């Protein structure tokens, strides 16, 4: 009887270990889709940055993933995160607020290609992996049509 109980426990532990290993491999194979951000600073300079990491910090701090040199931007202004299969933006209690398509952010919000993010007076334009980058002029032309 004891031998049967040990065999059953061994079999159950082996099945659990196999399932945990399979889940670990599944999670390690997931990839974060890349995101491109075109930053248009107040002086007219536009810089495009590409990321494939699950978290991006925007702000005036040089340690941020996108350092923005503008006095209207907080040190750690906003955060982009990838989870639940989508990119989200969150305001990090910035002084001048974060805007998504001219609406102020009050809670984490999903972003898509072509969205405009405003941190202070600086505009950022979003482009996700599967889409081509939508320039600010193309976005304005779409609104006019």
């Amino acid at each position: 009887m004891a031998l049967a109980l040990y065999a059953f426990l061994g079999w159950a532990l082996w099945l659990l270990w196999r399932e945990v290993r399979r889940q670990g491999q599944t999670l390690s194979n997931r990839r974060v889709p890349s995101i491109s951000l075109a930053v248009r600073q107040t002086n007219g300079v536009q810089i495009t940055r590409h990321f494939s990491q699950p978290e991006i910090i925007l702000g005036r701090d040089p340690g941020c993933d996108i350092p923005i040199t503008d006095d209207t931007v907080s040190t750690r202004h906003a955060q982009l995160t990838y989870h639940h299969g989508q990119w989200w933006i969150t305001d990090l209690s910035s002084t001048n607020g974060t805007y998504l398509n001219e609406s102020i952010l009050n809670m984490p919000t999903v972003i898509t290609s072509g969205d405009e993010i405003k941190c202070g007076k600086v505009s950022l334009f979003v482009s996700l992996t599967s889409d081509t980058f939508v320039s600010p002029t193309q976005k304005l032309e779409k609104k006019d049509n």
Side-chain angles (χ1 to χ4, degrees):
M1 186 71 142
L3 186 60
L5 180 61
Y6 283 121
F8 174 75
L9 287 174
W11 175 75
L13 287 173
W14 178 76
L15 283 177
L16 286 172
W17 174 79
R18 197 172 72 170
E19 181 63 21
V20 167
R21 196 171 115 197
R22 187 183 67 77
Q23 287 290 331
Q25 287 175 343
T26 301
L27 289 174
S28 69
N29 289 335
R30 281 191 187 162
R31 296 192 184 262
V32 175
S34 64
I35 184 170
S36 298
L37 297 169
V39 183
R40 185 172 47 190
Q41 306 237 2
T42 52
N43 60 6
V45 175
Q46 184 165 318
I47 300 167
T48 302
R49 301 270 319 268
H50 307 281
F51 295 95
S52 59
Q53 61 201 46
E55 180 179 288
I56 302 164
I57 303 290
L58 312 172
R60 205 174 59 237
D61 184 357
C64 288
D65 297 305
I66 297 185
I68 302 170
T69 54
D70 189 284
D71 292 336
T72 61
V73 177
S74 298
T75 305
R76 290 175 50 89
H77 198 97
Q79 176 182 29
L80 299 171
T81 53
Y82 183 79
H83 57 87
H84 296 100
Q86 296 176 322
W87 280 99
W88 297 72
I89 185 166
T90 307
D91 181 63
L92 299 176
S93 302
S94 61
T95 305
N96 293 321
T98 303
Y99 292 81
L100 178 64
N101 299 325
E102 299 179 16
S103 298
I104 190 144
L105 283 178
N106 296 319
M107 61 182 171
T109 307
V110 174
I111 58 174
T112 60
S113 282
D115 281 349
E116 178 184 9
I117 301 168
K118 282 191 110 173
C119 297
K121 294 180 180 176
V122 177
S123 296
L124 296 95
F125 297 92
V126 177
S127 179
L128 302 178
T129 305
S130 60
D131 296 324
T132 57
F133 183 75
V134 178
S135 73
T137 53
Q138 288 173 328
K139 187 174 182 179
L140 292 174
E141 289 172 3
K142 283 183 184 178
K143 284 183 181 178
D144 292 340
N145 292 334

Short mmCIF file of all heavy atoms in Angstrom, two decimals, residues 95-117:
data_model
loop_
_atom_site.label_atom_id
_atom_site.label_comp_id
_atom_site.label_asym_id
_atom_site.label_seq_id
_atom_site.Cartn_x
_atom_site.Cartn_y
_atom_site.Cartn_z
N THR A 95 3.63 67.08 -13.55
CA THR A 95 3.13 68.41 -13.21
C THR A 95 2.17 68.95 -14.27
O THR A 95 1.09 69.44 -13.95
CB THR A 95 4.31 69.40 -13.06
OG1 THR A 95 5.22 68.85 -12.10
CG2 THR A 95 3.85 70.75 -12.61
N ASN A 96 2.55 68.85 -15.54
CA ASN A 96 1.74 69.40 -16.63
C ASN A 96 0.82 68.39 -17.28
O ASN A 96 0.13 68.71 -18.25
CB ASN A 96 2.65 70.04 -17.69
CG ASN A 96 3.35 71.25 -17.14
OD1 ASN A 96 2.77 72.02 -16.39
ND2 ASN A 96 4.62 71.42 -17.49
N GLY A 97 0.80 67.16 -16.81
CA GLY A 97 -0.09 66.14 -17.35
C GLY A 97 0.41 65.52 -18.64
O GLY A 97 1.28 66.05 -19.31
N THR A 98 -0.17 64.37 -18.96
CA THR A 98 0.13 63.66 -20.20
C THR A 98 -1.16 63.59 -20.99
O THR A 98 -2.21 63.28 -20.45
CB THR A 98 0.66 62.24 -19.89
OG1 THR A 98 1.80 62.34 -19.05
CG2 THR A 98 1.03 61.51 -21.16
N TYR A 99 -1.06 63.87 -22.28
CA TYR A 99 -2.23 63.87 -23.16
C TYR A 99 -2.07 62.78 -24.21
O TYR A 99 -0.99 62.58 -24.76
CB TYR A 99 -2.39 65.22 -23.85
CG TYR A 99 -2.77 66.33 -22.90
CD1 TYR A 99 -1.81 66.97 -22.11
CD2 TYR A 99 -4.10 66.71 -22.77
CE1 TYR A 99 -2.17 67.97 -21.22
CE2 TYR A 99 -4.46 67.72 -21.90
CZ TYR A 99 -3.50 68.33 -21.12
OH TYR A 99 -3.85 69.32 -20.25
N LEU A 100 -3.16 62.09 -24.50
CA LEU A 100 -3.20 61.10 -25.56
C LEU A 100 -4.26 61.57 -26.55
O LEU A 100 -5.45 61.65 -26.20
CB LEU A 100 -3.54 59.71 -25.02
CG LEU A 100 -3.66 58.60 -26.05
CD1 LEU A 100 -2.31 58.38 -26.76
CD2 LEU A 100 -4.14 57.31 -25.41
N ASN A 101 -3.83 61.90 -27.75
CA ASN A 101 -4.74 62.42 -28.79
C ASN A 101 -5.59 63.57 -28.24
O ASN A 101 -6.81 63.59 -28.39
CB ASN A 101 -5.63 61.30 -29.34
CG ASN A 101 -4.81 60.20 -29.97
OD1 ASN A 101 -3.77 60.46 -30.57
ND2 ASN A 101 -5.25 58.97 -29.82
N GLU A 102 -4.94 64.51 -27.58
CA GLU A 102 -5.53 65.74 -27.05
C GLU A 102 -6.50 65.52 -25.89
O GLU A 102 -7.23 66.43 -25.51
CB GLU A 102 -6.20 66.53 -28.18
CG GLU A 102 -5.20 66.94 -29.26
CD GLU A 102 -5.84 67.71 -30.39
OE1 GLU A 102 -6.97 68.20 -30.24
OE2 GLU A 102 -5.17 67.84 -31.44
N SER A 103 -6.51 64.33 -25.28
CA SER A 103 -7.31 64.06 -24.09
C SER A 103 -6.36 63.76 -22.94
O SER A 103 -5.45 62.95 -23.09
CB SER A 103 -8.23 62.85 -24.30
OG SER A 103 -9.14 63.10 -25.34
N ILE A 104 -6.61 64.38 -21.79
CA ILE A 104 -5.72 64.16 -20.65
C ILE A 104 -5.86 62.74 -20.13
O ILE A 104 -6.95 62.17 -20.13
CB ILE A 104 -5.98 65.19 -19.53
CG1 ILE A 104 -4.88 65.11 -18.49
CG2 ILE A 104 -7.34 64.99 -18.90
CD1 ILE A 104 -4.49 66.42 -17.89
N LEU A 105 -4.74 62.16 -19.72
CA LEU A 105 -4.74 60.80 -19.17
C LEU A 105 -5.05 60.85 -17.68
O LEU A 105 -4.35 61.52 -16.93
CB LEU A 105 -3.38 60.14 -19.35
CG LEU A 105 -3.03 59.62 -20.73
CD1 LEU A 105 -1.63 59.04 -20.73
CD2 LEU A 105 -4.01 58.57 -21.17
N ASN A 106 -6.07 60.13 -17.27
CA ASN A 106 -6.41 60.02 -15.85
C ASN A 106 -6.15 58.62 -15.33
O ASN A 106 -6.14 58.40 -14.13
CB ASN A 106 -7.88 60.38 -15.63
CG ASN A 106 -8.14 61.83 -15.99
OD1 ASN A 106 -7.34 62.70 -15.68
ND2 ASN A 106 -9.24 62.08 -16.67
N MET A 107 -6.00 57.66 -16.25
CA MET A 107 -5.76 56.27 -15.88
C MET A 107 -5.00 55.60 -17.02
O MET A 107 -4.93 56.15 -18.12
CB MET A 107 -7.07 55.55 -15.62
CG MET A 107 -7.99 55.49 -16.78
SD MET A 107 -9.48 54.67 -16.26
CE MET A 107 -10.52 54.92 -17.65
N PRO A 108 -4.41 54.42 -16.77
CA PRO A 108 -3.70 53.72 -17.85
C PRO A 108 -4.62 53.51 -19.05
O PRO A 108 -5.79 53.15 -18.90
CB PRO A 108 -3.30 52.39 -17.21
CG PRO A 108 -3.25 52.67 -15.75
CD PRO A 108 -4.32 53.69 -15.50
N THR A 109 -4.08 53.76 -20.24
CA THR A 109 -4.87 53.71 -21.47
C THR A 109 -4.10 52.97 -22.55
O THR A 109 -2.89 53.11 -22.66
CB THR A 109 -5.20 55.14 -21.95
OG1 THR A 109 -5.80 55.86 -20.88
CG2 THR A 109 -6.13 55.14 -23.13
N VAL A 110 -4.80 52.20 -23.37
CA VAL A 110 -4.19 51.47 -24.48
C VAL A 110 -3.83 52.45 -25.58
O VAL A 110 -4.59 53.36 -25.89
CB VAL A 110 -5.17 50.40 -25.02
CG1 VAL A 110 -4.62 49.73 -26.27
CG2 VAL A 110 -5.48 49.37 -23.96
N ILE A 111 -2.64 52.25 -26.19
CA ILE A 111 -2.23 53.10 -27.31
C ILE A 111 -2.12 52.24 -28.56
O ILE A 111 -1.90 51.03 -28.49
CB ILE A 111 -0.90 53.83 -27.04
CG1 ILE A 111 0.23 52.85 -26.72
CG2 ILE A 111 -1.06 54.83 -25.92
CD1 ILE A 111 1.58 53.50 -26.58
N THR A 112 -2.29 52.88 -29.71
CA THR A 112 -2.20 52.20 -31.01
C THR A 112 -1.35 53.03 -31.96
O THR A 112 -0.99 54.17 -31.66
CB THR A 112 -3.60 51.99 -31.63
OG1 THR A 112 -4.20 53.28 -31.81
CG2 THR A 112 -4.49 51.14 -30.74
N SER A 113 -1.07 52.48 -33.11
CA SER A 113 -0.30 53.22 -34.12
C SER A 113 -1.02 54.48 -34.53
O SER A 113 -2.24 54.48 -34.69
CB SER A 113 -0.07 52.35 -35.36
OG SER A 113 0.95 51.43 -35.14
N GLY A 114 -0.25 55.55 -34.70
CA GLY A 114 -0.82 56.82 -35.11
C GLY A 114 -1.24 57.71 -33.96
O GLY A 114 -1.60 58.86 -34.18
N ASP A 115 -1.21 57.19 -32.72
CA ASP A 115 -1.58 58.01 -31.57
C ASP A 115 -0.52 59.09 -31.32
O ASP A 115 0.65 58.90 -31.59
CB ASP A 115 -1.71 57.15 -30.30
CG ASP A 115 -3.02 56.40 -30.24
OD1 ASP A 115 -3.92 56.71 -31.05
OD2 ASP A 115 -3.16 55.53 -29.37
N GLU A 116 -0.98 60.21 -30.81
CA GLU A 116 -0.09 61.31 -30.43
C GLU A 116 -0.09 61.42 -28.91
O GLU A 116 -1.15 61.53 -28.29
CB GLU A 116 -0.54 62.63 -31.04
CG GLU A 116 0.35 63.79 -30.62
CD GLU A 116 -0.16 65.14 -31.14
OE1 GLU A 116 -1.29 65.19 -31.68
OE2 GLU A 116 0.58 66.12 -31.00
N ILE A 117 1.10 61.40 -28.33
CA ILE A 117 1.28 61.58 -26.89
C ILE A 117 1.91 62.93 -26.69
O ILE A 117 2.89 63.27 -27.36
CB ILE A 117 2.20 60.48 -26.31
CG1 ILE A 117 1.61 59.09 -26.56
CG2 ILE A 117 2.46 60.72 -24.83
CD1 ILE A 117 2.58 57.96 -26.29
#
